[in-house]
Amino acid sequence: MSVETRARPVAHGDTMLPYRVVGRSAQTPDTVTLRLQPVHDAAQRFRAGQFMMLYSFGVGEIAISISGNPADDNGTLEHTIRAVGAVSAALHRTGIGGLIGVRGPYGTGWDLASAIGGDLVIVGGGVGLAPLRSAVLTALAARSDYRRIVLISGARTPGDMLFRDDQQVWSAAGSIELEQTVDRPAPDWRGRVGFVTEPLAHLTLEPGKTTALLCGPEPMMRFCAQSLLRRGIPATDIQLALERNMQCGVARCGHCQLGPLLLCRDGPVVDYAVAEPLLAVREL
Ligand SMILES: Cc1cc2nc3c(=O)[nH]c(=O)nc-3n(C[C@H](O)[C@H](O)[C@H](O)COP(=O)(O)OP(=O)(O)OC[C@H]3O[C@@H](n4cnc5c(N)ncnc54)[C@H](O)[C@@H]3O)c2cc1C
């Protein structure tokens, strides 16, 4: 799929609006899912894979994927934030009742429509599972539209695995085939040990009937994409979410430029046919 034909955002809010934290769910020691409720009437609609610009008052603003369900019609947003620097740490420690500024939604999002009638193979590593949760929830809401839904989720350790409860629920209900893998196991770990590429390599795939969604560290996505290509999956059926320095979110500042793309507008989700030749380009 070309950049031109990928779906545009369903809404484009350029104005920062205040949202209140109404829920906090610790995923790991450094990662939390915040549930945000608008303190105004203009609730935003979004597509799985889009992101918002979140502003911690007096600290700064960063791009954060939406990890919640686009079908939630009560206007709340869910974001899963890993505290790695000043802004993410400030957002991470915002308590119930605290206010966060929100702009968006921005970006392309996952193209789930092109997967209808076939298999969805979803591969995520670390905090890359955040935008993929939104894709899983969307696909599960229309479960009969897809044949298999396979989720391969990876983390450094079992304690770093995001959405473990969700994953167990989806798998126990028989809605998805789940493969979990970690770099370093704990004594009670029953999943795999190793990279996400290993279960991927053993998956039965049907080229032309398989759509892959990838999100995680760039080398992980490249290895997965190469593995899928070797198995005959066309590059246009492999979608990946690319992270670059995003500041304006509206294709003006140019910080997120990757070759001819401005990833805040033309990404973060692009297909591998578009991404592969560009991935060697360093960010500005
Ligand atoms: C489209 C898009 C979606 C994103 N979605 C999410 C999301 O859902 N959840 C989320 O937590 N983040 C997400 N990010 C990353 C986020 O925007 C910030 O880049 C990140 O949180 C760091 O911001 P900071 O200002 O806190 O840290 P900075 O001050 O920028 O960085 C502080 C230190 O942390 C390091 N660092 C920066 N990013 C990371 C990282 N990802 N992992 C480890 N170390 C890092 C830096 O190299 C630096 O040493 C997304 C980014 C993009 C572009």
Side-chain angles (χ1 to χ4, degrees):
M1 177 183 316
S2 72
V3 172
E4 289 71 31
T5 58
R6 189 171 288 287
R8 295 287 103 196
V10 289
H12 202 285
D14 205 3
T15 308
M16 182 180 294
L17 295 169
Y19 277 65
R20 194 176 301 286
V21 177
V22 293
R24 283 181 58 88
S25 159
Q27 299 289 335
T28 72
D30 65 5
T31 306
V32 69
T33 298
L34 298 182
R35 177 168 270 265
L36 307 180
Q37 196 169 62
V39 292
H40 48 81
D41 293 334
Q44 301 289 6
R45 290 186 56 237
F46 63 90
R47 182 192 309 283
Q50 288 192 290
F51 68 94
M52 295 287 191
M53 296 300 297
L54 298 192
Y55 178 60
S56 175
F57 288 93
V59 185
E61 189 186 43
I62 51 175
I64 297 288
S65 304
I66 301 164
S67 60
N69 190 348
D72 262 355
D73 55 8
N74 58 5
T76 58
L77 295 171
E78 280 183 334
H79 290 280
T80 301
I81 301 157
R82 181 161 162 235
V84 294
V87 184
S88 52
L91 291 168
H92 180 274
R93 65 175 172 263
T94 308
I96 301 281
L99 288 178
I100 287 175
V102 176
R103 289 194 290 133
Y106 297 124
T108 47
W110 304 109
D111 176 13
L112 290 168
S114 67
I116 289 175
D119 297 334
L120 258 183
V121 174
I122 300 172
V123 188
V127 80
L129 280 165
L132 290 171
R133 178 175 183 261
S134 206
V136 172
L137 292 171
T138 304
L140 290 181
R143 182 64 190 86
S144 58
D145 281 355
Y146 307 95
R147 300 189 314 186
R148 303 167 69 198
I149 301 178
V150 181
L151 173 63
I152 303 178
S153 63
R156 282 172 297 184
T157 70
D160 292 316
M161 175 81 66
L162 302 190
F163 314 122
R164 273 181 82 173
D165 293 347
D166 286 333
Q167 293 183 37
Q168 290 314 326
V169 170
W170 300 332
S171 161
S175 307
I176 64 164
E177 296 166 43
L178 176 65
E179 292 278 5
Q180 294 176 321
T181 185
V182 296
D183 301 344
R184 296 190 305 279
D188 61 344
W189 178 245
R190 298 197 201 296
R192 289 171 172 267
V193 178
F195 295 130
V196 289
T197 42
E198 288 169 27
L200 185 63
H202 293 107
L203 216 58
T204 308
L205 300 173
E206 194 182 328
K209 282 283 183 190
T210 301
T211 299
L213 314 182
L214 313 178
C215 190
E218 231 162 78
M220 182 215 95
M221 291 194 285
R222 271 203 316 273
F223 285 127
C224 289
Q226 292 295 336
S227 164
L228 290 162
L229 286 181
R230 281 196 298 276
R231 310 278 302 285
I233 308 297
T236 47
D237 290 344
I238 303 169
Q239 303 173 29
L240 53 165
L242 295 176
E243 230 182 70
R244 287 293 183 276
N245 177 358
M246 288 183 192
Q247 296 199 358
C248 74
V250 290
R252 284 194 206 119
C253 76
H255 281 87
C256 64
Q257 185 172 355
L258 179 64
L261 309 182
L262 288 171
L263 282 175
C264 68
R265 178 193 62 197
D266 305 320
V269 178
V270 295
D271 67 41
Y272 199 56
V274 173
E276 186 179 21
L278 302 175
L279 283 179
V281 179
R282 291 178 65 82
E283 92 182 272
L284 296 176

